[in-house]
Structure formats: C-alpha cells, structure tokens
Amino acid sequence: MTSSHDALYRAICAQPDEDTPRLVFADLVEENGDPLRARFIRTQVALARLPAYDPAWVNARQHEPDSSTGHCMVQTLPQQLPDGVGWHRFEFRRGFPWKVGVRALNALVPSGDTLFAAAPIQALDFDPRSRPDLVALAEWPQLARLRKLEFSAGWFPALDVARLAESEYAAGLTELGFEGEAVAPDGLRALADSSLLVRLTGLELRSIQVASALLVDALGAAHEPGALSRLALPFNRLGRDDAEHLFRLPLLGDLQHLDVSNNPLGSGGVTALAESGVVRGLRVLNLSKTKPGVPGVKALAEAGGLAGLRALDLSDNLLGPVAVKALAGCGGLRGLRVLNLSNNLVGDAGAAALAAARSLSGLLELDLRDADVGDAGAVALAESPYLDGLLRLDLGSRDSGSLGRAARAALVERFGNNVSL
C-alpha cells in the first residue's frame, strides 16, 4: 500500500461507522488500477443502507452475488492477525472485513488493539471448540468497539449472561446470536430480562439445545419489545403449541423481520402466526420448511395487516397448486417484492396462477427453483401482464431438461438476463 492507502485504511479502522473514508478509499484503489475492489466497496456501502427487498439488492443477487458475501475479496483480508483469531469465519460489510472468528478469547484480550488496527472489525464469532469466558469479555474495554457477538458453545448460565448484559462496555452491542449449546435456559431468561435485550435490534437463537417450551418461556421474561426488529429462531423444534404462546409474547410486538424456518409449526402454528398481531408490522417473513399446508397458507393469505410485507419465504414446504393459488389470490400481498417458492410442487397450474395474479404485480424477485414448473407454466410466466417489474426470476432445476427450447426462448425474450434457467 502507498502512504495514502495506509492513512485512509487507518481512518477506516479508527472510524468503522463512517462511510466517507471507505468511499474515498474506493476512489483511490480505482485510480491505482483496481476497479473491481472499488466497485465492491461502493456496492456494499450502498446496499448497507437498503433493505434486502430493495431493487438494488435484487439486482445484486442476480448479477453480482459476491457483493453480499465478499468471497471475491478474500485476497484482501489482512494476513497479520493477533493470536486467538482467524479468518475461518469472516464477513464483509460496507466493503471491508467486519467479522472475524475467535478461537481463544484469552489469547485475543491482551492483543485486541492489534486486531482493530488490522481491520474495521465490529463482530466476533466464537469458535464452538472453545468456551469463551463471558466475565473476561464483559471486562474487556475493546468490547465497546463491537456491534455483534455470536456464540455456539458455552452453556452460559444466568450469572455469566447477566455480567455481559450489565457490562459498561456492552452499550454498543446491537446484535447477538446463540447456537446449539451456547446458552442455558436460565441464561436465556437472564438475557430476556436484561437491559441489553431492550437495546438489541437483532437476536438469533439457532438450534438451541433446550426444550422448545423452555425456550419460549425464557423469551417470555421480556416484558417489552424494546428496539428489537429482527428475530431469528430457526431449527428449534417449535410446534403448534409453542407457536400459540410464542406469537403472543410482548418481545415480538414491533418486529419487522421474523425467521421461524426449519421448525415443525405445521398448519396450526402458521395459523397461530397469521391470527396474531405479529404479522401486522412484518416486512420480512421466513417460513421455509415449516410445513404450513393449504390451511396455513390460506390463513396467512386471509390475515389482515399484510400490506407492509415485502419478502416472504415459503420454500421447501411441499406446497402444491392449491396453496399457490390461495397465495396468488390474496389482495393483501400487493406490497410483496420478493417471493420464494423454491423446492415446492408449484407445477404449471401454480405458475399460471402466479402469472395471472394482479396482486403480485409489484414483485421484483420470484424464486421457483425446483418447483416442478414445465413448459406451460414457463410460457404463462413469460406472457404474464403483471410481471413487468421482475428483476430476478429463478427457474433453475436439477433436471436440466425440464424446459423445452421454445419455453426457454420465451422467457429470455421477456426477461433477458434477469431469468436464471
């Protein structure tokens, strides 16, 4: 790097919340012959300001998929890192590495300054093979630089979680994630009852190794939603009875993003969601692998207050044409921009129903991968009077010969490079 590069990079690390140094850095690397990195930085900075259902995000998923992952920029990851951390778990945000994996917290704590000088890190993902000391983390001044923590081991009890939540250095945390055996039931309850949860905007509890009823009960310790707008609860064995309790909790009152994918909610659980007040504020809803069946989809379609919903994921649910027709006929989904029906049994009849749905005329992205759509359904989509706004249509299939030449030609003529076959 030149001295100008070095100075700008130091400014980025010192002020990780600021976009201006990043954009100036992009100009500099472009002037020095690296337009791809410059474009990547600018694209990520722009996307960070937008929701995932914005046209810019949809375009990026179709034409620049690496813009969200950063895999195309692995070669730019700093090689000199302090002991205890590594790029085995990394994430880029706003053009630069944002998250790093932690193998040993006790090795990182003495050399934290080195890490934050190497990259504008704001998130730590703790390795499941090493149980971090939450008390030591709570007492670490560098914690104040972080916005997100992810844990997948520890079985943290209430006392440890409370120490982290009450830390004077935890005021900047906005996102937390726990997976597997990372937290005990009383630890979850302590988190739900803490001032930290009130400040969080995002919480993910993935495959937590406690009984689903205990998980829901623990979340019930939160008496207000606070700032929480994103809640992810995938792989937690949540069933109908859990759903009826969960969707009444105050914690869910102001959610905009809800992910309950990979849970056996069934039609009863999805109906409980549809009948709750939770759906009224949602912008993004992930119901992948929840098996709602026709009754659950109909309940969702008939639920009031869906005008704000912008992205809906119903993938991998064995849904057939009847369920798809119920969804297509829902006038309340006029605001929907992203719809994922991949790995269902949509078929030609379901595709034709989607093509004829005036209520879906605002769609920007439609995912029908491995959805059993043949030539007739593909042609119906190509001839739809309501899908002019599509920026991404995915009809990919494991069976490369599922669509004939005429159907493919019709799709390409209508949607150009916005269709994937």
Side-chain angles (χ1 to χ4, degrees):
M1 283 190 182
T2 66
S3 58
S4 297
H5 280 86
D6 289 340
L8 267 176
Y9 195 81
R10 286 196 298 271
I12 291 166
C13 292
Q15 305 174 70
D17 292 325
E18 296 296 323
D19 284 339
T20 300
R22 296 170 187 250
L23 295 173
V24 175
F25 190 93
D27 292 341
L28 188 59
V29 296
E30 184 171 44
E31 291 171 5
N32 284 272
D34 196 348
L36 291 179
R37 189 178 185 189
R39 179 177 175 81
F40 173 74
I41 294 170
R42 294 179 187 127
T43 299
Q44 278 217 324
V45 168
L47 292 177
R49 303 167 180 163
L50 303 169
Y53 46 81
D54 186 89
W57 265 108
V58 177
N59 265 318
R61 284 193 289 273
Q62 179 67 10
H63 302 294
E64 297 181 87
D66 272 351
S67 61
S68 61
T69 65
H71 290 155
C72 59
M73 289 291 129
V74 171
Q75 73 278 6
T76 69
L77 291 171
Q79 296 305 304
Q80 299 299 318
L81 292 177
D83 292 340
V85 300
W87 297 121
H88 55 293
R89 297 190 178 199
F90 72 88
E91 182 179 331
F92 279 79
R93 284 196 187 180
R94 296 162 49 238
F96 294 82
W98 180 77
K99 181 174 77 173
V100 69
V102 179
R103 297 190 181 95
L105 178 63
N106 59 347
L108 170 62
V109 166
S111 56
D113 289 342
T114 307
L115 172 63
F116 297 109
I121 296 298
Q122 294 187 287
L124 300 181
D125 187 341
F126 290 89
D127 194 293
R129 293 167 293 183
S130 175
R131 183 185 190 277
D133 183 344
L134 281 197
V135 175
L137 181 61
E139 295 174 351
W140 187 38
Q142 297 288 11
L143 176 62
R145 300 178 63 107
L146 298 172
R147 300 293 176 264
K148 184 177 183 179
L149 300 173
E150 297 180 65
F151 304 95
S152 49
W155 200 245
F156 301 120
L159 183 61
D160 287 5
V161 173
R163 289 290 295 273
L164 176 64
E166 294 164 4
S167 169
E168 63 179 303
Y169 306 118
L173 288 176
T174 58
E175 300 177 71
L176 275 182
F178 294 94
E179 181 176 1
E181 298 180 347
V183 63
D186 65 326
L188 272 178
R189 182 172 289 276
L191 173 64
D193 195 34
S194 72
S195 59
L196 174 58
L197 186 67
V198 175
R199 300 193 303 271
L200 292 181
T201 59
L203 175 64
E204 179 172 5
L205 303 172
R206 174 182 290 267
S207 190
I208 300 299
Q209 297 303 299
V210 302
S212 56
L214 291 179
L215 171 63
V216 175
D217 286 345
L219 294 176
H223 302 299
E224 58 177 315
L228 194 68
S229 63
R230 298 170 178 264
L231 178 64
L233 300 170
F235 296 98
N236 282 304
R237 304 170 302 283
L238 298 169
R240 172 178 178 168
D241 293 341
D242 302 310
E244 291 179 351
H245 183 191
L246 173 66
F247 299 132
R248 295 193 188 103
L249 296 181
L251 180 64
L252 279 65
D254 292 333
L255 289 184
Q256 294 185 17
H257 295 236
L258 176 61
D259 178 356
V260 286
S261 62
N262 294 275
N263 285 294
L265 295 177
S267 60
V270 174
T271 298
L273 169 62
E275 294 175 351
S276 74
V278 172
V279 295
R280 297 182 181 278
L282 291 182
R283 295 293 179 269
V284 177
L285 176 58
N286 189 343
L287 291 171
S288 176
K289 294 186 178 180
T290 56
K291 300 299 183 286
V294 172
V297 172
K298 284 186 174 179
L300 194 64
E302 294 167 3
L306 292 177
L309 193 65
R310 296 293 179 265
L312 175 61
D313 189 340
L314 285 166
S315 60
D316 291 279
N317 277 315
L318 296 176
L319 298 176
V322 174
V324 175
K325 288 177 182 178
L327 195 66
C330 175
L333 292 175
R334 293 184 183 277
L336 203 63
R337 298 294 177 262
V338 176
L339 176 60
N340 188 346
L341 289 168
S342 62
N343 290 291
N344 281 297
L345 302 174
V346 174
D348 289 340
L354 294 171
R358 183 190 296 269
S359 60
L360 297 179
S361 60
L363 277 184
L364 302 173
E365 179 174 353
L366 178 58
D367 193 336
L368 292 172
R369 286 170 297 154
D370 292 305
D372 199 31
V373 176
D375 286 4
V379 170
L381 292 168
E383 295 177 351
S384 169
Y386 303 118
L387 296 179
D388 290 336
L390 272 188
L391 300 175
R392 184 169 190 263
L393 172 61
D394 197 336
L395 284 163
S397 172
R398 287 183 288 267
D399 179 5
S400 59
S402 60
L403 293 180
R405 182 178 301 176
R408 288 172 176 267
L411 288 166
V412 171
E413 181 179 357
R414 174 68 184 277
F415 301 111
N417 63 358
N418 289 336
V419 63
S420 298
L421 302 170

